[in-house]
Structure formats: structure tokens, C-alpha cells
Amino acid sequence: MNSLANTDLEGKSTQAHIQRSWLLLGGVMLTALVLRAPITAVGSIVSEIQQALGLSGAMTGLLTTLPLLAFAAISPLAPIWSNRIGIENTLFFAMLVLAGAIALRSLATIPALYAGTALLGMGIAVGNVLLPSIIKRDYNQKAGLMTGLYTVVMNLGGAIASGFSIPLTEQAGIKWNVVLGGTAVFALLAAVVWMLQLRGKQQLAFVSGLNQAKPRPIWSSKVAWFVTFFLGLQSFCFYINITWIPEMLIDRGLSHAEAGWMLSLLQIVGMPSTFIIPILAGRRASQRGYALITAILFAIGYLGLLSGDTSLIVLWIIVTGIAAGAGFGLAVMFFVLRTATAHQSAQISGMAQSIGYLLAAFGPFLFGLLHDVTSSWNMSLIMLLAVVVLYAFAGWGAGADRKIGEQAMES
């Protein structure tokens, strides 16, 4: 009888473990799906939003800048919140905030637009910081695969949102605010999946164990700063891409629809590299070579755009998209590879995304400012090429075989 009872208990335990594993995977993927889509959906229909609400150019630019500033402000707080109430709890509340923020933004008034945009940046920031920490905690042996999967899903969500915004508004006749509000459904689904995983005391026990661990240096670590600038400069380029490349292509003769699809292509072609690079990087002690390859691809893409040759515009978009996808996948993988614990991964993720996205927030502004001053895109693209050189330097430091806190290796 005891043997049968034990077998039954083991079976139930295995079934519960499988269920938790699927819920965890679902939570990660649904969260990844809404980490870019609410922002990229704006880029393709920004002129319609501007016209409907009578926004100036500066006010329109804030729609990209506000989420980045929210990333910078909230990212350092996410590890603190997760340390107190658990990662799953923190992600549950973040997805609720994100769903509410998207709904608020879709009310189609200026105050609601900006308040919702700022709040959705806060919700996204928490997801950005904590997903690598979950991978470090629960998928450390498959970190490359899981990093590749969730970053691909993130880019897929962003590409779908930007690619379908114009057809839904112009061809299907759906109002822009309804289109923007659609992603709230997925954020709400993510919140439900995290809610099903709330474990209360078990999470707090895990957190308590983290508090007893000896703290390791983050802000004083050279490795952490290299990772921070690598992510920051990659994001600097990415947010310029999604903000200004469609406008640049329209100036060079493409239609609004064609420019919107080029923005989708930019993100779609980056998906394979976003998936593959983390897997390859996880198999090597040093990732310096991969960092340099992404820098070279960025340079080729921007030089092609600088040439003004519209006959090869698809090629330049593809090369730039591959570089952006590979660079982001590598940056996120550094949160796992350069750390020893899940808590430390959350810390460097918070630091890198705080400083990095603050740096990235200036990208679209500076790019647009140079265009306004020179009435040309050339100086703006030359600035990007200079940034790529700094990006390569940061990648060389971040890609070295060393972890945060290993003082002998950092000196």
C-alpha cells in the first residue's frame, strides 16, 4: 500500500512539475511578445497620430523617448522588487501595469497618450530586466537556446506590430488608437499566466537566500560597464532605426506602406541572428569575435544607406537588421554569461538597461537634430558610424572570458 501511495505521489509531483514548467515557459514567451510591440506599433502610424491629435514634432518624438526614460528610471528598481516579493510576483504586477497602460494610451487624448506611454515603459522595463534573470535561474544549462527563443519572440511581436499597423488603419479602416490598444490583450494574458505561478512563501524563501549571499560588485565592475555600453549603443542604433529609417526612406521616394514594410523587414531578418547568436555565444568562452562581426555588419548597412543607392535599399536594410538582431541577442546573453547567480544577472540587467536606455533615449533626438540642422541625412548617418566604432570597443570588453566579481580577471 505504501509503495502504491508513494508511486501516486511521485506521479502527481511529476505532473505538477511539468505543469509548472509549461506555465513558466508560457509566461516568458508571452511577456517577450509584448516587450517591443507596444512601442514599434507607433512608428509606422506616427504621422496619423500626429495629425489626429495635433502634435508638434517635438511632442511626437516624446512617444519614443518616454518609454526609454521609463526604462532608465525603473530598470534598477526591478531587481529590488523581485528580491522582496519574488520574480513571478513582480512580473505579474508589471504585466498588469502594461495592460492598463496600453488601454489608457488608446483613449486617444493627449494626456492619456503620454501617461499611458510612460506607464507602459515602466511595465516593459521590468520584463526586460527580469527575463534574463529567470533564464539564469531556471534554464542555466540551456541559456543560449532560451535567450534566443525569447528574443526572437520579442522581435516577432515588434515586427508584426509595425508591419500591420498601416494595413489595419489605412486598408481595414480601424482607428489608430484601437490598433495600439490591441497589444493589451497579450499583456493581460501574460499577467494571467504569471498569476497561476504565484507561490508566495516559496518565492520569499528563494529571495531570503539571495539576501544571505555575499554581495558582489556591479557598479564598480569593468565587465558590467562594458556590457552596459554594449547594450546602450546597440539600443541607440535600434531606436534610431525604428524611429527614423521609415522617414528617411519616404524622403528617398518610397511610399508610406513600403517604408512601413521595410521597418518590418528590418526586424524580421534579425530574428534568425537573434536566435542563433546566443546559442553560438553560449558555447564559447569568449564572444569578442561575434561582437566585432555585428559591428562590421552595422557599418556596412549604414554605409549603404549613406550612399543613397535606393536600388540596393533592401540589402542595406537586411544587413542592418541582421546586425541589430545579433547585437541584441548577444547583449542579453551577456547578462547570463558574465554573472554567477540569478540575482546578479538581474542586477547587471537593471544597471545595463538603466544606463543603456538612458543613452539610447538621446539617439532619435540627436539623429533628428542633425537632420534638421543640415537638411540632409548624411551627417546623421555619419554619427551612427562613429557610434558603431564605440560599440565595437564595448563589445571587445564585454566579450572577454570573465565574470563580474572575479577581481583578478577584471584587473
Side-chain angles (χ1 to χ4, degrees):
M1 292 293 292
N2 288 337
S3 176
L4 289 174
N6 289 337
T7 301
D8 187 50
L9 288 173
E10 288 176 4
K12 290 181 179 179
S13 176
T14 301
Q15 185 177 3
H17 176 72
I18 293 173
Q19 185 180 23
R20 285 196 300 270
S21 297
W22 279 108
L23 282 172
L24 181 63
L25 181 62
V28 169
M29 295 307 160
L30 280 170
T31 301
L33 191 65
V34 291
L35 292 184
R36 275 192 178 168
I39 298 174
T40 60
V42 173
S44 299
I45 56 174
V46 69
S47 59
E48 186 173 344
I49 298 171
Q50 186 176 13
Q51 188 175 30
L53 297 179
L55 303 179
S56 66
M59 291 180 70
T60 304
L62 277 177
L63 295 177
T64 299
T65 303
L66 271 179
L68 298 179
L69 294 177
F71 293 171
I74 298 300
S75 292
L77 300 177
I80 298 173
W81 294 335
S82 68
N83 201 28
R84 289 179 177 173
I85 66 173
I87 297 178
E88 287 86 352
N89 280 309
T90 308
L91 284 167
F92 165 67
F93 288 117
M95 292 300 101
L96 277 184
V97 169
L98 179 56
I102 294 170
L104 176 62
R105 183 179 65 172
S106 66
L107 294 179
T109 66
I110 292 177
L113 177 67
Y114 287 102
T117 298
L119 284 172
L120 71 84
M122 295 178 185
I124 290 172
V126 173
N128 281 337
V129 170
L130 295 185
L131 288 193
S133 182
I134 282 185
I135 289 172
K136 183 70 176 181
R137 188 192 70 183
D138 295 289
Y139 302 103
N140 195 38
Q141 299 303 314
K142 299 178 180 179
L145 175 64
M146 288 303 300
T147 300
L149 279 174
Y150 103 76
T151 51
V152 162
V153 171
M154 184 190 307
N155 286 333
L156 179 63
I160 291 173
S162 60
F164 283 89
S165 292
I166 288 179
L168 288 174
T169 55
E170 292 187 356
Q171 297 172 21
I174 301 174
K175 292 183 178 180
W176 64 267
N177 56 312
V178 176
V179 172
L180 292 185
T183 50
V185 174
F186 298 100
L188 195 58
L189 283 174
V192 170
V193 173
W194 289 120
M195 181 182 67
L196 295 174
Q197 300 178 69
L198 303 185
R199 298 193 299 268
K201 292 181 180 179
Q202 292 182 22
Q203 289 195 59
L204 293 176
F206 169 74
V207 172
S208 177
L210 289 177
N211 286 330
Q212 294 172 5
K214 183 180 179 180
R216 299 190 179 190
I218 293 291
W219 292 85
S220 61
S221 167
K222 291 180 182 178
V223 176
W225 280 104
F226 277 125
V227 172
T228 293
F229 282 112
F230 184 79
L231 174 70
L233 294 171
Q234 187 277 338
S235 300
F236 187 96
C237 295
F238 173 79
Y239 283 100
I240 285 175
N241 292 346
I242 66 171
T243 304
W244 287 112
I245 279 184
E247 191 69 23
M248 187 191 311
L249 298 183
I250 290 169
D251 281 356
R252 292 180 176 175
L254 274 69
S255 69
H256 282 80
E258 288 171 335
W261 282 113
M262 286 298 103
L263 182 57
S264 289
L265 177 65
L266 182 80
Q267 296 172 83
I268 290 170
V269 297
M271 291 181 196
S273 60
T274 301
F275 177 72
I276 294 169
I277 287 295
I279 297 175
L280 296 177
R283 295 174 180 174
R284 299 180 64 89
S286 170
Q287 294 76 37
R288 283 175 162 173
Y290 295 122
L292 290 181
I293 288 171
T294 62
I296 292 169
L297 290 174
F298 264 131
I300 292 171
Y302 291 144
L303 283 170
L305 291 173
L306 182 62
S307 73
D309 187 354
T310 56
S311 65
L312 295 176
I313 200 70
V314 172
L315 175 62
W316 309 137
I317 292 295
I318 288 174
V319 172
T320 304
I322 291 172
F328 181 74
L330 190 57
V332 173
M333 193 62 183
F334 284 149
F335 300 155
V336 178
L337 294 175
R338 300 285 88 93
T339 57
T341 66
H343 183 55
Q344 198 178 65
S345 177
Q347 285 184 309
I348 189 174
S349 181
M351 171 186 172
Q353 297 193 59
S354 175
I355 302 297
Y357 285 124
L358 183 61
L359 175 63
F362 289 97
F365 170 77
L366 290 175
F367 195 89
L369 179 64
L370 285 172
H371 174 260
D372 290 343
V373 170
T374 63
S375 298
S376 169
W377 297 107
N378 290 346
M379 284 303 300
S380 300
L381 289 166
I382 289 171
M383 177 200 69
L384 268 182
L385 288 169
V387 168
V388 168
V389 174
L390 297 176
Y391 168 87
F393 177 76
W396 186 260
D401 179 20
R402 53 189 176 182
K403 292 184 184 295
I404 293 169
E406 295 176 352
Q407 298 296 336
M409 299 184 74
E410 288 206 43
S411 60

